Amino acid sequence: LEQIDIIHRLVRSYPDTFAMAHTAEDVIRIRKQGKIASLIGVEGGHSIDNSLGVLRTLHALGARYMTLTHSDNLDWADSATDVPNLKGLSPFGESVVLEMNRLGMLVDISHISADTMRHVLKVTKAPVIASHSSAFALAGHPRNVPDDVLKEVKKNGGVIMVNFYSGFITQEGARLLPEMMKIYREYKKRYPIPDEFRAAYTQWKKEHPMPAGSVHDVVDHIEHIIKDAGVDHVGIGSDFDGISTAPKQLEDVSCYPYITQELLNRGHAREAIHKILGGNVLRVMREAEAVAKNWK
């Protein structure tokens, strides 16, 4: 709630720069005004505390998507990076998905297990997004999306937005990441003093550097998703605010044109590139809004 409050305060404080967006048409209108369209999302269904009332309140405050889990399982959904418990959704988890459909909130399948993704795709009445996940076939980390799910997302009409994190775009990074997380947990227990933990963990990472990858790897993931799901079902979801290592030539948001250039280099047409850079996500927003509007 405090984070949502900050977003609203920023928009009010800097009206020449930002404007709140709740719909796809809001985004188009605000961009035409030369401003930044500001949207609210919730990363992790733990935020609703097992309450559809809280979910509805977050929507009323402007949230227009929710990632069903973060890194740990919930009572009602399995995470990709926890020990499977439900092997999908509980009955309450199904009701969360349907209530999000009714409200017009995008259901985000990033962070959830592959089985939970499959379960969501059977339940949802609206297209889904994976807001920051890459292709499992190219980097075998459970945070990424398997090929069979990519095909189901195509049938659903959703979009997979490629994560730039080095551990999710290179096979070597995907192999190193579980060891890195294991060390992180071990060191947390071994070094209860935060400064000592940070020093030890930083030293370990220096001795075991994450392969950075490059913009070429990110575009490989985009092309793999196009191959399995089609150009209407891929986007970009950098995760810049949540990652510790970025690919070469994608160190920050100023580097986005390198993606455009690499897609051009590989022969992709202007219309296809516009879909990848945001058009597909706006389409999914419109379709989710239409489902909510026509909900019976």
Side-chain angles (χ1 to χ4, degrees):
L1 289 173
E2 288 174 351
Q3 290 173 340
I4 289 173
D5 173 62
I6 287 169
I7 294 167
H8 285 291
R9 287 167 58 209
L10 274 170
V11 171
R12 283 198 304 271
S13 298
Y14 302 98
D16 294 338
T17 302
F18 302 114
M20 283 306 307
H22 298 109
T23 67
E25 291 313 309
D26 286 346
V27 174
I28 300 295
R29 171 180 52 78
I30 292 163
R31 289 291 293 129
K32 283 181 180 174
Q33 294 171 353
K35 298 180 184 181
I36 295 169
S38 305
L39 298 100
I40 295 171
V42 176
E43 188 173 25
H46 57 279
S47 299
I48 69 169
D49 200 26
N50 293 349
S51 167
L52 294 181
V54 174
L55 175 67
R56 288 187 283 268
T57 300
L58 292 174
H59 177 265
L61 291 171
R64 289 298 179 266
Y65 83 88
M66 184 172 76
T67 319
L68 295 185
T69 75
H70 194 235
S71 300
D72 300 322
N73 292 342
L74 304 181
D75 294 338
W76 48 270
D78 282 346
S79 168
T81 46
D82 203 345
V83 179
N85 182 25
L86 299 163
K87 295 188 169 53
L89 296 169
S90 73
F92 179 75
E94 292 184 351
S95 66
V96 170
V97 170
L98 291 171
E99 185 65 1
M100 291 175 72
N101 292 163
R102 188 187 72 80
L103 292 167
M105 286 181 77
L106 295 176
V107 177
D108 180 12
I109 63 171
S110 284
H111 276 290
I112 63 176
S113 72
D115 281 340
T116 311
M117 293 178 190
R118 296 179 187 109
H119 197 156
V120 168
L121 288 162
K122 287 176 183 171
V123 171
T124 184
K125 308 296 182 188
V128 303
I129 62 168
S131 63
H132 55 306
S133 295
S134 303
F136 185 86
L138 300 189
H141 190 278
R143 271 284 282 104
N144 288 338
V145 183
D147 284 354
D148 70 294
V149 175
L150 293 178
K151 292 178 173 67
E152 291 302 314
V153 168
K154 178 179 183 177
K155 293 177 192 173
N156 161 264
V159 60
I160 307 295
M161 303 165 69
V162 173
N163 191 319
F164 297 177
Y165 180 46
S166 303
F168 299 154
I169 62 162
T170 68
Q171 198 64 270
E172 299 81 5
R175 278 195 289 266
L176 177 63
L177 197 50
E179 176 67 12
M180 194 165 131
M181 294 310 296
K182 181 183 169 189
I183 293 294
Y184 177 89
R185 292 187 180 105
E186 286 180 4
Y187 281 18
K188 271 281 187 185
K189 291 177 184 174
R190 193 186 304 175
Y191 302 103
I193 299 171
D195 286 346
E196 291 181 4
F197 161 74
R198 275 193 292 271
Y201 187 54
T202 300
Q203 183 59 36
W204 186 91
K205 287 198 291 184
K206 278 184 185 175
E207 293 166 3
H208 304 82
M210 172 69 71
S214 73
V215 65
H216 304 283
D217 295 299
V218 169
V219 177
D220 285 347
H221 281 262
I222 291 171
E223 290 197 317
H224 182 86
I225 295 168
I226 291 171
K227 177 173 71 73
D228 271 23
V231 74
D232 294 322
H233 305 285
V234 64
I236 50 176
S238 67
D239 204 15
F240 275 137
D241 63 334
I243 61 177
S244 54
T245 310
K248 292 173 182 171
Q249 292 189 293
L250 283 177
E251 289 84 2
D252 59 46
V253 293
S254 71
C255 300
Y256 278 126
Y258 289 123
I259 297 175
T260 306
Q261 185 61 58
E262 182 59 16
L263 288 166
L264 288 168
N265 293 348
R266 299 190 190 194
H268 294 275
R270 177 189 179 92
E271 182 187 4
I273 294 171
H274 278 215
K275 288 180 177 181
I276 295 163
L277 297 182
N280 287 335
V281 175
L282 289 172
R283 172 188 58 78
V284 169
M285 286 178 69
R286 287 190 191 98
E287 291 178 11
E289 290 160 17
V291 168
K293 185 177 179 182
N294 298 314
W295 193 267
K296 296 278 191 341

